[in-house]
Every structure is written in C-alpha cells, then in structure tokens.
Amino acid sequence: MKKYVIGLDYGTDSVRAVLIDTENGAELATSVSYYQRWKEGKFCQPEQNQFRQHPLDHIEGLEKTISDVVKESGVAPESIVSICIDTTGSSPLPVNKEGIALALTPGFEQNPNAMMVLWKDHTSISEAEEINHLARNWGGEDYTKFEGGIYSSEWFWAKILHINRVDDNVKNSAYSWVEHCDYITFLLSDHQDLSTFKRSRCAAGHKAMWHESWDGLPSKDFLGQLDSSLAELRDRLYDKTYTSDEVAGNLNLEWAAKLGLTTNTVIAVGTFDAHSGAVGAKVEENTLIRIMGTSTCDIMVAPNEIIQDKTVKGICGQVNGSVIPGLIGLEAGQSAFGDLLAWYKDILTWPVHNILMNSNIIDDTQKQLLKEEIENNLIRNLTLEAEKIPLSEAVPIALDWVNGRRTPDANQELKAAISNLSLGTKAPHIFKALVNAICFGSKKIVDRFEEEGVKIEKVIGIGGVARKSPFIMQTLANVLNMPIVVAASDQAPALGAAIYAAVAAGIYTNVQEASQKMGSDFEAEYFPQAEYVEKYAELMSQYQILADFTENNIKSKKKLIVDSL
C-alpha cells in the first residue's frame, strides 16, 4: 500500500493542508481556509501594533482543510500515515491545565489578551527592553546569547510578560502558555498531558531562550527578577524539547472522526513555517533559504564544528536541530517584506474605499467591478512602470522598517523613512524605492552572516513574492550580487512539514534523505546583471546613510521631545 502524509501550514492569513505522496513528494490534493475573524479585523489594533488571532479560526481551518484533502484525494484513510503542523512564530497562546485555549473558555471568548499573540504583535517592546537589560546586567548567564544577543518583542517571554502586566484575569487564569505549533499538535494528539507533551525545539530555542547548555529554559531566578508570574510559569512549562522528525503522539479519537482518518495516523512534533519551508526547499549547508511573504525568514544550517561555541550576533537564534536534526539551525529575517508593498497599496487605494465606494454617480455593481480592477492591477502596473525607470533617474531612498527591524540587531521601535523626494517623484518611483529597500534590508542580513563566518554559496527563494515577482527577484539578485533560484512549490512550508511527517512515520531514516527525495524542484534562476550591480551598491550606501541617521537621531530626538512634555 502506498503511503501518504499531510503537511498543515498555518500562515498569517490562512491555513493550508497538502496531501503528499511519500515516494516522490507529489502533491495529490490541497485545501486553503482563510481566517474569517482575522479577515474582519477582529481583536486587532494596528495603530497600537496589536495583532491577535482567535483559536477558532485555526481550529475551523484545520477541520476544513484536512477533511477536504482526504475527500479530494480519494486515498484510503489508513494510507495517510502521519501529519505535521507548521505555524508562524513566535505566536504564543494561554491555555488552562487541560491545554484548552483560554479564549475557548467562559468569560474569555472576546478577550484579545486570551488569544494567540501573533508573531507581528509588537505590544511588548518595553518588556523586551527589560529582558535585554536584565540579561546583560544581572550577573548570571546571558540567556540572549544564542538568540543573536538581542531579545525581540516578537518573542515568547516578552509577549507573556506584557499580557500578565495588563490583564490580571488572564495572568491568574492561564495555567500555561503554548506556541501555536505546539497547540495544534496537542489538539490532535492522543497525548493529552500538557506537562509531558513534546514541545517544539525550534520554537523553544529560537524564541524562548531554551538551550542545552543551561538545561532548558532560563532559570526561575532570572525570570523572577522580571516578574514573579514568569518564575511561577516556569514550573508549568518544560525542560526538554524535541525535533520535528519525532512522534508527539497518534491522532486522537475525536479528531480522527472529524477528519475521516484513523488513530494509527502519527502526529509529528510541531515546527515553524520558515524551518519547514527550508526543508521543503532542500536546504543544505552554505545555502540561504529566503521565505518571502508578508515578512521574511532567512534560514541556514551549519555543522557543529563550524559554529562550535561561536554566537552569531544580531540574528534570531541558533539552535541545534531546529531545522535539520544534527545541524545548527540559524534564523534571521525582516519584519516587513511584502507587507511594505501592501502598506503602499493600501495608501494608494484609500480613495477607492473612501470616495469611489461612496459615490452616487455609478451603481453598486460598477463600483465593485472598478474596485476589483484597481486592486487586482495596481501592483502589476506599478511594477511595469518601475521597471522602466533607469537607475540613473532620481529615485527616493527608503527604509524597510515599517514594522520595525527584526535582523540584523532586532529593534522593533524603529520606524521607516523615505528621502530624496521631489516634485518629479511619481507613484512608480516610490514603489521602486520600496522594492529597493526590502532588497537592501536583505543584503544587510547576508552581510551579517558572512561577517560572522557563515559562508553563503547559494540562495533559494520560496513563497509568494519569490514566485510572483520577477522584478523583485531580479532586483534582489543585483543587490546581493548572487544568483538566486526559486523553488517551484507553492506550498514549500507545508511540503517541508510533510517531509518531517514522513520521517516521524518511519518512511525515511532522516530529514536530509526525505528532503532530497520529496523536496521541491526549482522553476527559475536570476543572475546578477553586471551593469546594475555597481549602481545598486551606490544606492545601498545611501540606504545605510539614511538608516544610520534615522536610528541614531530620529528616535533620540523623539524621546527628548516626549521627556520634555
């Protein structure tokens, strides 16, 4: 009997399931479900950097997508041998002692603080600063040293500390906190003891300061100096962590019935989308995998003998086994990539939503058709015009920090800026400047890896931006002065999760073998254009000047004004 696996990939806006043939990685069926509450903007306050998601969006999407692929494929349920879940992160969720999400219990159904704190939520900037200050000054272990030396407001402890300080009810009612990938894995598994449940190595190591050298999470002494509630929580979390090629449990009876599967289906330990995406793209040593969507994650793997005791500064962590068991997983990324262009699109379409849609000149059908035409063609037309603008023409210089800076050197307080505007600056000029900015931000990450001795010989792009925008990919090749290949799969993270699932089920002996057999082929390659590389290097120097000025002057002057009021 042929054997199949399911990769379940939770993104920012939707969840998708893919059913994969373990022999060759062929995709038999796929299904996508968009988060309805999230789509309606519920529980979020973008002006305050608050982004929360209700777990029902994820549970409903889970049931729909897996049920769909099981039915669509027509394969025998008993031939689906394993499931692995990947999610965004760090996206922690408070739960009760039974592991039920607090937002699913009476009294918390509409409380954003009881919901998943999405990766892009930056309400805990001050708490992250406290963690960094304490780590450097408390006289004990610097628990941030394997996290790039800077703890981010996007991560586990900072988010929990913030919620505990602003919501006593949640603080007192939450028995524990789990990452999104662990929560969905626990939900499906027949292992229902939260205290012994297998937590994800990649989530714990990259976001929660877990490390083997100090036998797990930061000490209660350290956490207690931040807040006594964190020290108490420490006892209700975990010491050991597990890689995603391991078995977390079997599919429980309740979910087997809902999904049309059997309880023989293995549930693998959960993972993050960037790490599974790298596996889906056949990550190897000296290869940088760029997962390019709303934000970016940049993933590399390196052997222990190369990294040894060295800590790579300013990245999002280095963790043994987080991507491929036996190798050190290295993570970096940008807080906004596609999001920067989406922000610009929202600005340009403001008249559509606020003037056109309220017009009395045309009927509602015409309004809707015009709205859809503009929204569907705006980025494409901007791209066509931006491509025509020669590099010799005055193009603004922009920063990509519209959602803060993830790496190198996390600082979520930073804001974007734009310079060199004139009366001759048109919409395509600004669009080109923003594309340049996200590519320059990418170059800073590549430079940091190489400055720290991590050699990059190959770049692989995956995700929607990589596959849909030749303009951005060619610009990136010119800025990096490196060739870039693009993975053919639309579902690289889900495919990578399926690869982990295949190893957990015993189909393959290790992740490298499974990745080479099941991983994505490549559909395009972009080479640096010699006539443009030098000019982009000049523009990169202008980006650096603006970045230095903004970071060192704008923030300090703003603080001086606030302090004087």
Side-chain angles (χ1 to χ4, degrees):
M1 183 176 66
K2 294 193 71 171
K3 295 181 179 180
Y4 306 94
V5 288
I6 292 175
L8 188 67
D9 169 42
Y10 282 90
T12 301
D13 302 316
S14 62
V15 57
R16 68 209 64 232
V18 294
L19 182 70
I20 300 293
D21 187 331
T22 60
E23 286 186 4
N24 51 23
E27 180 184 304
L28 274 72
T30 184
S31 176
V32 178
S33 176
Y34 289 88
Y35 312 140
Q36 189 57 45
R37 297 163 190 81
W38 169 260
K39 192 174 182 180
E40 294 170 2
K42 290 184 175 180
F43 315 118
C44 297
Q45 297 181 37
E47 67 281 358
Q48 296 181 19
N49 289 316
Q50 176 182 302
F51 296 96
R52 311 288 166 80
Q53 288 188 338
H54 201 291
L56 279 177
D57 273 341
H58 304 124
I59 294 170
E60 292 164 0
L62 155 68
E63 183 170 0
K64 178 186 183 303
T65 56
I66 293 186
S67 297
D68 282 352
V69 298
V70 172
K71 292 174 184 176
E72 180 185 337
S73 66
V75 303
E78 58 270 20
S79 68
I80 300 175
V81 295
S82 185
I83 299 171
C84 182
I85 293 94
D86 76 79
T87 70
T88 64
S90 178
S91 299
L93 177 76
V95 297
N96 66 14
K97 193 171 184 178
E98 289 71 41
I100 299 171
L102 213 58
L104 301 180
T105 63
F108 293 100
E109 299 92 339
Q110 302 299 315
N111 184 346
N113 295 325
M115 298 175 190
M116 194 182 77
V117 187
L118 191 63
W119 64 268
K120 67 193 287 185
D121 185 293
H122 291 160
T123 52
S124 58
I125 287 175
S126 62
E127 287 80 8
E129 289 181 350
E130 287 182 52
I131 292 171
N132 286 313
H133 179 78
L134 181 64
R136 291 170 180 75
N137 296 286
W138 79 299
E141 185 72 70
D142 181 357
Y143 291 112
T144 70
K145 68 181 182 182
F146 294 109
E147 308 274 13
I150 303 174
Y151 201 73
S152 170
S153 64
E154 293 185 341
W155 298 347
F156 188 79
W157 291 111
K159 290 178 172 178
I160 296 170
L161 181 56
H162 176 75
I163 298 297
N164 283 359
R165 286 180 172 170
V166 301
D167 197 320
D168 284 339
N169 200 14
V170 171
K171 178 179 73 172
N172 296 329
S173 301
Y175 174 79
S176 190
W177 285 74
V178 294
E179 280 286 355
H180 187 195
C181 65
D182 290 327
Y183 172 71
I184 301 296
T185 302
F186 181 81
L187 186 71
L188 293 180
S189 172
D190 61 356
H191 187 132
Q192 289 294 296
D193 183 350
L194 197 61
S195 65
T196 57
F197 185 72
K198 292 181 179 179
R199 305 285 189 118
S200 166
R201 171 76 55 85
C202 69
H206 286 278
K207 311 302 180 186
M209 297 187 285
W210 180 93
H211 199 267
E212 302 104 318
S213 64
W214 46 76
D215 298 322
L217 295 168
S219 70
K220 290 180 67 175
D221 187 12
F222 174 82
L223 295 171
Q225 292 190 44
L226 292 165
D227 194 285
S228 61
S229 66
L230 295 189
E232 294 167 4
L233 174 63
R234 173 70 174 76
D235 288 333
R236 304 191 297 273
L237 289 171
Y238 52 88
D239 290 314
K240 294 182 179 180
T241 63
Y242 300 85
T243 54
S244 294
D245 59 334
E246 298 192 58
V247 176
N250 278 50
L251 186 62
N252 61 49
L253 279 167
E254 177 187 357
W255 278 96
K258 288 181 178 180
L259 302 176
L261 296 174
T262 77
T263 56
N264 291 325
T265 300
V266 166
I267 306 299
V269 172
T271 185
F272 278 166
D273 52 1
H275 302 167
S276 64
V279 169
K282 301 180 181 178
V283 65
E284 300 174 309
E285 294 175 31
N286 305 122
T287 300
L288 176 69
I289 308 290
R290 304 212 75 226
I291 298 93
M292 292 178 275
T294 54
S295 64
T296 76
C297 276
D298 298 79
I299 304 296
M300 296 191 70
V301 294
N304 282 279
E305 54 266 28
I306 295 295
I307 299 297
Q308 297 181 350
D309 295 329
K310 183 175 185 176
T311 55
V312 181
K313 297 177 182 176
I315 64 170
C316 300
Q318 53 194 76
V319 180
N320 185 11
S322 64
V323 180
I324 293 180
L327 296 176
I328 303 296
L330 304 161
E331 179 183 335
Q334 292 164 271
S335 292
F337 196 79
D339 261 357
L340 182 60
L341 306 181
W343 162 81
Y344 186 51
K345 177 182 176 181
D346 286 344
I347 288 177
L348 294 184
T349 56
W350 186 92
V352 174
H353 296 280
N354 294 276
I355 298 176
L356 173 64
M357 298 307 289
N358 293 318
S359 172
N360 294 319
I361 298 175
I362 56 178
D363 63 37
D364 289 343
T365 300
Q366 291 173 311
K367 289 179 192 177
Q368 187 61 34
L369 289 172
L370 277 171
K371 174 177 173 290
E372 291 175 2
E373 182 178 15
I374 292 169
E375 289 182 340
N376 292 338
N377 294 315
L378 181 60
I379 294 296
R380 183 174 66 85
N381 288 342
L382 284 170
T383 297
L384 291 173
E385 292 304 312
E387 286 180 306
K388 297 175 185 177
I389 300 172
L391 290 182
S392 58
E393 190 169 325
V395 172
I397 298 297
L399 300 180
D400 53 315
W401 300 340
V402 72
N403 199 26
R405 183 178 65 208
R406 181 178 294 160
T407 56
D409 306 318
N411 187 342
Q412 303 304 155
E413 284 194 294
L414 291 175
K415 304 299 180 187
I418 190 164
S419 67
N420 202 34
L421 295 168
S422 74
L423 291 175
T425 302
K426 308 299 182 186
H429 291 85
I430 297 175
F431 181 77
K432 190 179 185 79
L434 297 179
V435 170
N436 290 346
I438 57 179
C439 294
F440 294 149
S442 306
K443 179 72 162 65
K444 294 292 291 182
I445 292 170
V446 169
D447 289 349
R448 176 58 60 88
F449 273 127
E450 297 201 319
E451 289 163 6
E452 293 290 309
V454 182
K455 188 177 181 182
I456 298 174
E457 296 177 346
K458 183 178 181 182
V459 179
I460 299 175
I462 68 175
V465 174
R467 297 200 69 209
K468 296 175 183 177
S469 180
F471 173 55
I472 292 176
M473 298 309 295
Q474 185 60 63
T475 302
L476 185 61
N478 290 334
V479 169
L480 297 183
N481 194 19
M482 290 182 179
I484 305 171
V485 296
V486 177
S489 175
D490 271 332
Q491 317 289 358
L495 176 59
I499 290 169
Y500 285 129
V503 181
I507 307 299
Y508 294 95
T509 58
N510 59 63
V511 174
Q512 294 100 316
E513 178 191 3
S515 178
Q516 290 303 313
K517 189 75 173 179
M518 298 171 61
S520 175
D521 292 328
F522 303 104
E523 65 178 10
E525 186 166 8
Y526 297 87
F527 296 93
Q529 299 164 310
E531 64 271 27
Y532 296 130
V533 169
E534 185 175 346
K535 181 60 179 177
Y536 274 113
E538 295 174 10
L539 294 173
M540 177 78 188
S541 67
Q542 295 179 44
Y543 168 92
Q544 189 61 59
I545 291 170
L546 180 60
D548 290 341
F549 177 83
T550 301
E551 183 167 7
N552 298 323
N553 292 277
I554 303 298
K555 179 184 173 184
S556 59
K557 288 181 179 180
K558 179 181 177 182
K559 186 177 186 302
L560 184 64
I561 292 169
V562 171
D563 289 346
S564 67
L565 292 177

Short mmCIF file of all heavy atoms in Angstrom, two decimals, residues 449-501:
data_model
loop_
_atom_site.label_atom_id
_atom_site.label_comp_id
_atom_site.label_asym_id
_atom_site.label_seq_id
_atom_site.Cartn_x
_atom_site.Cartn_y
_atom_site.Cartn_z
N PHE A 449 25.63 37.47 8.20
CA PHE A 449 26.02 36.06 8.22
C PHE A 449 27.48 35.90 7.81
O PHE A 449 28.27 35.21 8.48
CB PHE A 449 25.14 35.23 7.29
CG PHE A 449 23.87 34.73 7.92
CD1 PHE A 449 22.63 34.97 7.32
CD2 PHE A 449 23.89 34.01 9.11
CE1 PHE A 449 21.45 34.50 7.89
CE2 PHE A 449 22.71 33.54 9.69
CZ PHE A 449 21.50 33.78 9.08
N GLU A 450 27.87 36.55 6.72
CA GLU A 450 29.22 36.36 6.22
C GLU A 450 30.25 37.03 7.12
O GLU A 450 31.36 36.52 7.29
CB GLU A 450 29.30 36.88 4.78
CG GLU A 450 28.39 36.09 3.83
CD GLU A 450 28.76 36.18 2.38
OE1 GLU A 450 29.12 37.30 1.94
OE2 GLU A 450 28.71 35.15 1.68
N GLU A 451 29.89 38.18 7.71
CA GLU A 451 30.80 38.82 8.67
C GLU A 451 31.05 37.92 9.88
O GLU A 451 32.12 37.97 10.49
CB GLU A 451 30.19 40.14 9.16
CG GLU A 451 30.18 41.25 8.12
CD GLU A 451 29.22 42.39 8.47
OE1 GLU A 451 28.65 42.36 9.59
OE2 GLU A 451 29.04 43.28 7.63
N GLU A 452 30.06 37.11 10.22
CA GLU A 452 30.17 36.22 11.38
C GLU A 452 30.75 34.85 11.00
O GLU A 452 30.75 33.92 11.81
CB GLU A 452 28.79 36.03 12.02
CG GLU A 452 28.24 37.30 12.66
CD GLU A 452 29.01 37.69 13.91
OE1 GLU A 452 29.19 36.84 14.78
OE2 GLU A 452 29.42 38.86 14.01
N GLY A 453 31.22 34.72 9.77
CA GLY A 453 31.90 33.50 9.36
C GLY A 453 31.02 32.40 8.82
O GLY A 453 31.47 31.26 8.66
N VAL A 454 29.73 32.70 8.55
CA VAL A 454 28.83 31.71 7.97
C VAL A 454 28.78 31.94 6.46
O VAL A 454 28.16 32.89 5.98
CB VAL A 454 27.42 31.81 8.59
CG1 VAL A 454 26.52 30.72 8.01
CG2 VAL A 454 27.48 31.70 10.11
N LYS A 455 29.42 31.07 5.73
CA LYS A 455 29.58 31.26 4.29
C LYS A 455 28.30 30.95 3.54
O LYS A 455 27.61 29.97 3.82
CB LYS A 455 30.71 30.35 3.78
CG LYS A 455 31.10 30.60 2.33
CD LYS A 455 32.28 29.71 1.94
CE LYS A 455 32.68 29.96 0.49
NZ LYS A 455 33.80 29.07 0.08
N ILE A 456 27.96 31.80 2.56
CA ILE A 456 26.78 31.59 1.72
C ILE A 456 27.23 31.38 0.29
O ILE A 456 27.87 32.24 -0.32
CB ILE A 456 25.82 32.80 1.80
CG1 ILE A 456 25.31 32.99 3.23
CG2 ILE A 456 24.65 32.62 0.83
CD1 ILE A 456 24.48 34.24 3.43
N GLU A 457 26.90 30.20 -0.25
CA GLU A 457 27.28 29.87 -1.63
C GLU A 457 26.07 29.84 -2.56
O GLU A 457 26.22 29.87 -3.78
CB GLU A 457 27.97 28.51 -1.66
CG GLU A 457 29.30 28.49 -0.90
CD GLU A 457 29.94 27.11 -0.88
OE1 GLU A 457 29.24 26.12 -1.21
OE2 GLU A 457 31.13 27.02 -0.51
N LYS A 458 24.88 29.77 -1.98
CA LYS A 458 23.68 29.60 -2.79
C LYS A 458 22.50 30.24 -2.08
O LYS A 458 22.41 30.17 -0.85
CB LYS A 458 23.43 28.09 -2.99
CG LYS A 458 22.25 27.72 -3.87
CD LYS A 458 22.18 26.20 -3.98
CE LYS A 458 21.06 25.71 -4.87
NZ LYS A 458 21.01 24.23 -4.92
N VAL A 459 21.61 30.87 -2.84
CA VAL A 459 20.40 31.48 -2.28
C VAL A 459 19.19 30.86 -2.97
O VAL A 459 19.14 30.78 -4.21
CB VAL A 459 20.39 33.01 -2.47
CG1 VAL A 459 19.10 33.61 -1.89
CG2 VAL A 459 21.60 33.66 -1.82
N ILE A 460 18.23 30.41 -2.16
CA ILE A 460 16.99 29.84 -2.69
C ILE A 460 15.83 30.68 -2.17
O ILE A 460 15.72 30.92 -0.96
CB ILE A 460 16.81 28.38 -2.25
CG1 ILE A 460 17.94 27.51 -2.79
CG2 ILE A 460 15.45 27.84 -2.72
CD1 ILE A 460 17.90 26.07 -2.30
N GLY A 461 14.97 31.13 -3.06
CA GLY A 461 13.79 31.89 -2.68
C GLY A 461 12.55 31.03 -2.73
O GLY A 461 12.35 30.24 -3.66
N ILE A 462 11.72 31.13 -1.70
CA ILE A 462 10.43 30.45 -1.70
C ILE A 462 9.36 31.43 -1.25
O ILE A 462 9.65 32.49 -0.68
CB ILE A 462 10.42 29.19 -0.80
CG1 ILE A 462 10.54 29.58 0.69
CG2 ILE A 462 11.52 28.23 -1.18
CD1 ILE A 462 10.40 28.38 1.62
N GLY A 463 8.11 31.09 -1.50
CA GLY A 463 7.00 31.94 -1.07
C GLY A 463 6.40 32.72 -2.22
O GLY A 463 6.90 32.72 -3.36
N GLY A 464 5.30 33.43 -1.91
CA GLY A 464 4.54 34.12 -2.92
C GLY A 464 5.32 35.18 -3.67
O GLY A 464 5.22 35.29 -4.90
N VAL A 465 6.11 35.98 -2.96
CA VAL A 465 6.87 37.04 -3.62
C VAL A 465 7.90 36.44 -4.56
O VAL A 465 8.09 36.91 -5.69
CB VAL A 465 7.55 37.95 -2.58
CG1 VAL A 465 8.45 38.96 -3.27
CG2 VAL A 465 6.50 38.68 -1.74
N ALA A 466 8.58 35.40 -4.12
CA ALA A 466 9.63 34.78 -4.94
C ALA A 466 9.07 34.25 -6.26
O ALA A 466 9.70 34.36 -7.32
CB ALA A 466 10.30 33.66 -4.16
N ARG A 467 7.86 33.69 -6.21
CA ARG A 467 7.29 33.06 -7.40
C ARG A 467 6.55 34.05 -8.30
O ARG A 467 6.45 33.83 -9.50
CB ARG A 467 6.33 31.93 -6.99
CG ARG A 467 7.00 30.80 -6.23
CD ARG A 467 6.16 29.55 -6.27
NE ARG A 467 6.12 28.99 -7.62
CZ ARG A 467 5.11 28.29 -8.10
NH1 ARG A 467 4.02 28.10 -7.37
NH2 ARG A 467 5.15 27.80 -9.32
N LYS A 468 6.04 35.14 -7.70
CA LYS A 468 5.14 36.01 -8.45
C LYS A 468 5.78 37.30 -8.96
O LYS A 468 5.18 37.99 -9.78
CB LYS A 468 3.93 36.37 -7.59
CG LYS A 468 3.06 35.16 -7.23
CD LYS A 468 1.94 35.55 -6.28
CE LYS A 468 1.11 34.35 -5.86
NZ LYS A 468 0.06 34.69 -4.87
N SER A 469 6.97 37.66 -8.46
CA SER A 469 7.54 38.95 -8.84
C SER A 469 8.96 38.82 -9.38
O SER A 469 9.94 38.97 -8.63
CB SER A 469 7.52 39.92 -7.65
OG SER A 469 8.07 41.17 -8.04
N PRO A 470 9.10 38.58 -10.69
CA PRO A 470 10.44 38.58 -11.29
C PRO A 470 11.18 39.91 -11.07
O PRO A 470 12.42 39.91 -10.94
CB PRO A 470 10.16 38.35 -12.77
CG PRO A 470 8.85 37.62 -12.79
CD PRO A 470 8.06 38.21 -11.66
N PHE A 471 10.44 41.00 -11.01
CA PHE A 471 11.07 42.32 -10.80
C PHE A 471 11.79 42.37 -9.45
O PHE A 471 12.95 42.79 -9.36
CB PHE A 471 10.00 43.42 -10.87
CG PHE A 471 10.49 44.79 -10.51
CD1 PHE A 471 11.58 45.36 -11.16
CD2 PHE A 471 9.85 45.53 -9.52
CE1 PHE A 471 12.03 46.63 -10.83
CE2 PHE A 471 10.29 46.80 -9.18
CZ PHE A 471 11.38 47.35 -9.83
N ILE A 472 11.12 41.92 -8.40
CA ILE A 472 11.74 41.92 -7.08
C ILE A 472 12.91 40.94 -7.04
O ILE A 472 13.99 41.25 -6.50
CB ILE A 472 10.71 41.58 -5.98
CG1 ILE A 472 9.68 42.70 -5.86
CG2 ILE A 472 11.40 41.34 -4.64
CD1 ILE A 472 8.56 42.42 -4.87
N MET A 473 12.74 39.77 -7.63
CA MET A 473 13.81 38.76 -7.57
C MET A 473 15.04 39.21 -8.37
O MET A 473 16.18 38.97 -7.94
CB MET A 473 13.29 37.42 -8.09
CG MET A 473 12.15 36.85 -7.25
SD MET A 473 12.53 36.78 -5.48
CE MET A 473 13.87 35.58 -5.49
N GLN A 474 14.83 39.86 -9.49
CA GLN A 474 15.98 40.35 -10.26
C GLN A 474 16.68 41.48 -9.51
O GLN A 474 17.92 41.54 -9.47
CB GLN A 474 15.54 40.82 -11.64
CG GLN A 474 16.70 41.24 -12.54
CD GLN A 474 17.68 40.11 -12.79
OE1 GLN A 474 17.33 39.08 -13.37
NE2 GLN A 474 18.92 40.27 -12.34
N THR A 475 15.89 42.36 -8.91
CA THR A 475 16.49 43.42 -8.09
C THR A 475 17.30 42.83 -6.95
O THR A 475 18.42 43.26 -6.65
CB THR A 475 15.40 44.35 -7.53
OG1 THR A 475 14.65 44.91 -8.61
CG2 THR A 475 16.01 45.49 -6.72
N LEU A 476 16.76 41.80 -6.30
CA LEU A 476 17.45 41.16 -5.19
C LEU A 476 18.75 40.52 -5.65
O LEU A 476 19.78 40.63 -4.96
CB LEU A 476 16.53 40.11 -4.54
CG LEU A 476 17.07 39.43 -3.28
CD1 LEU A 476 17.31 40.44 -2.17
CD2 LEU A 476 16.08 38.36 -2.80
N ALA A 477 18.75 39.85 -6.80
CA ALA A 477 19.98 39.25 -7.33
C ALA A 477 21.04 40.32 -7.58
O ALA A 477 22.24 40.11 -7.31
CB ALA A 477 19.68 38.47 -8.60
N ASN A 478 20.60 41.47 -8.09
CA ASN A 478 21.55 42.56 -8.35
C ASN A 478 22.09 43.16 -7.06
O ASN A 478 23.28 43.49 -6.96
CB ASN A 478 20.87 43.65 -9.18
CG ASN A 478 20.61 43.21 -10.61
OD1 ASN A 478 21.30 42.34 -11.13
ND2 ASN A 478 19.60 43.80 -11.24
N VAL A 479 21.23 43.31 -6.06
CA VAL A 479 21.66 43.90 -4.79
C VAL A 479 22.59 42.94 -4.05
O VAL A 479 23.63 43.35 -3.51
CB VAL A 479 20.44 44.26 -3.91
CG1 VAL A 479 20.88 44.62 -2.49
CG2 VAL A 479 19.67 45.42 -4.54
N LEU A 480 22.24 41.66 -4.00
CA LEU A 480 23.08 40.68 -3.31
C LEU A 480 24.33 40.34 -4.11
O LEU A 480 25.30 39.82 -3.56
CB LEU A 480 22.29 39.39 -3.06
CG LEU A 480 21.06 39.47 -2.16
CD1 LEU A 480 20.46 38.08 -1.98
CD2 LEU A 480 21.38 40.09 -0.81
N ASN A 481 24.28 40.59 -5.42
CA ASN A 481 25.34 40.18 -6.34
C ASN A 481 25.56 38.67 -6.24
O ASN A 481 26.68 38.17 -6.17
CB ASN A 481 26.65 40.93 -6.08
CG ASN A 481 27.64 40.77 -7.22
OD1 ASN A 481 27.27 40.41 -8.34
ND2 ASN A 481 28.91 41.04 -6.93
N MET A 482 24.43 37.95 -6.21
CA MET A 482 24.43 36.49 -6.13
C MET A 482 23.30 35.95 -7.00
O MET A 482 22.24 36.57 -7.08
CB MET A 482 24.16 36.02 -4.69
CG MET A 482 25.26 36.26 -3.71
SD MET A 482 24.76 35.57 -2.09
CE MET A 482 26.23 35.93 -1.12
N PRO A 483 23.50 34.79 -7.61
CA PRO A 483 22.37 34.15 -8.29
C PRO A 483 21.36 33.62 -7.27
O PRO A 483 21.73 33.24 -6.16
CB PRO A 483 23.02 33.00 -9.07
CG PRO A 483 24.30 32.74 -8.37
CD PRO A 483 24.75 34.03 -7.77
N ILE A 484 20.09 33.62 -7.65
CA ILE A 484 19.02 33.14 -6.78
C ILE A 484 18.16 32.17 -7.57
O ILE A 484 17.71 32.49 -8.68
CB ILE A 484 18.14 34.31 -6.28
CG1 ILE A 484 18.99 35.37 -5.58
CG2 ILE A 484 17.05 33.79 -5.34
CD1 ILE A 484 18.21 36.64 -5.24
N VAL A 485 17.91 30.99 -7.01
CA VAL A 485 16.98 30.06 -7.62
C VAL A 485 15.67 30.10 -6.84
O VAL A 485 15.66 30.42 -5.64
CB VAL A 485 17.53 28.61 -7.67
CG1 VAL A 485 18.75 28.55 -8.56
CG2 VAL A 485 17.84 28.10 -6.28
N VAL A 486 14.57 29.80 -7.51
CA VAL A 486 13.24 29.87 -6.91
C VAL A 486 12.63 28.48 -6.88
O VAL A 486 12.58 27.79 -7.91
CB VAL A 486 12.34 30.84 -7.69
CG1 VAL A 486 10.93 30.85 -7.11
CG2 VAL A 486 12.92 32.25 -7.66
N ALA A 487 12.18 28.08 -5.69
CA ALA A 487 11.52 26.78 -5.56
C ALA A 487 10.19 26.78 -6.29
O ALA A 487 9.45 27.77 -6.26
CB ALA A 487 11.32 26.45 -4.08
N ALA A 488 9.88 25.67 -6.95
CA ALA A 488 8.68 25.60 -7.78
C ALA A 488 7.40 25.43 -6.98
O ALA A 488 6.32 25.77 -7.45
CB ALA A 488 8.81 24.46 -8.78
N SER A 489 7.51 24.90 -5.76
CA SER A 489 6.32 24.60 -4.99
C SER A 489 5.65 25.86 -4.47
O SER A 489 6.31 26.76 -3.96
CB SER A 489 6.66 23.68 -3.81
OG SER A 489 5.52 23.47 -3.00
N ASP A 490 4.32 25.90 -4.60
CA ASP A 490 3.53 26.96 -3.98
C ASP A 490 3.43 26.75 -2.47
O ASP A 490 3.06 27.66 -1.74
CB ASP A 490 2.10 26.97 -4.55
CG ASP A 490 2.00 27.85 -5.77
OD1 ASP A 490 2.77 28.82 -5.88
OD2 ASP A 490 1.14 27.57 -6.63
N GLN A 491 3.72 25.54 -2.02
CA GLN A 491 3.45 25.16 -0.64
C GLN A 491 4.71 24.63 0.05
O GLN A 491 4.67 23.61 0.73
CB GLN A 491 2.37 24.06 -0.61
CG GLN A 491 1.20 24.27 -1.54
CD GLN A 491 0.29 25.39 -1.09
OE1 GLN A 491 0.51 26.00 -0.06
NE2 GLN A 491 -0.74 25.69 -1.85
N ALA A 492 5.83 25.33 -0.09
CA ALA A 492 7.09 24.81 0.46
C ALA A 492 7.02 24.55 1.97
O ALA A 492 7.50 23.51 2.44
CB ALA A 492 8.25 25.74 0.12
N PRO A 493 6.45 25.44 2.79
CA PRO A 493 6.36 25.11 4.22
C PRO A 493 5.52 23.88 4.49
O PRO A 493 5.91 23.02 5.30
CB PRO A 493 5.74 26.38 4.83
CG PRO A 493 6.14 27.48 3.91
CD PRO A 493 6.06 26.85 2.54
N ALA A 494 4.36 23.76 3.83
CA ALA A 494 3.52 22.58 4.02
C ALA A 494 4.23 21.33 3.51
O ALA A 494 4.14 20.26 4.13
CB ALA A 494 2.19 22.75 3.29
N LEU A 495 4.97 21.46 2.41
CA LEU A 495 5.74 20.33 1.89
C LEU A 495 6.82 19.93 2.89
O LEU A 495 7.04 18.73 3.13
CB LEU A 495 6.36 20.70 0.55
CG LEU A 495 7.28 19.66 -0.09
CD1 LEU A 495 6.54 18.35 -0.32
CD2 LEU A 495 7.85 20.20 -1.40
N GLY A 496 7.49 20.91 3.47
CA GLY A 496 8.51 20.61 4.49
C GLY A 496 7.91 19.93 5.70
O GLY A 496 8.51 18.99 6.26
N ALA A 497 6.73 20.39 6.13
CA ALA A 497 6.05 19.73 7.25
C ALA A 497 5.74 18.28 6.89
O ALA A 497 5.88 17.37 7.72
CB ALA A 497 4.77 20.48 7.60
N ALA A 498 5.32 18.04 5.64
CA ALA A 498 5.04 16.67 5.20
C ALA A 498 6.30 15.82 5.21
O ALA A 498 6.25 14.62 5.51
CB ALA A 498 4.42 16.70 3.79
N ILE A 499 7.45 16.44 4.91
CA ILE A 499 8.72 15.71 4.95
C ILE A 499 9.05 15.29 6.38
O ILE A 499 9.45 14.15 6.62
CB ILE A 499 9.83 16.57 4.32
CG1 ILE A 499 9.63 16.69 2.81
CG2 ILE A 499 11.22 16.01 4.65
CD1 ILE A 499 10.50 17.71 2.13
N TYR A 500 8.88 16.21 7.32
CA TYR A 500 9.05 15.83 8.74
C TYR A 500 8.11 14.68 9.10
O TYR A 500 8.50 13.73 9.81
CB TYR A 500 8.75 17.01 9.65
CG TYR A 500 9.79 18.09 9.73
CD1 TYR A 500 9.44 19.43 9.54
CD2 TYR A 500 11.11 17.80 10.03
CE1 TYR A 500 10.38 20.44 9.63
CE2 TYR A 500 12.06 18.82 10.13
CZ TYR A 500 11.69 20.14 9.93
OH TYR A 500 12.62 21.15 10.04
N ALA A 501 6.87 14.77 8.63
CA ALA A 501 5.87 13.74 8.94
C ALA A 501 6.32 12.38 8.41
O ALA A 501 6.13 11.34 9.07
CB ALA A 501 4.51 14.12 8.36
#
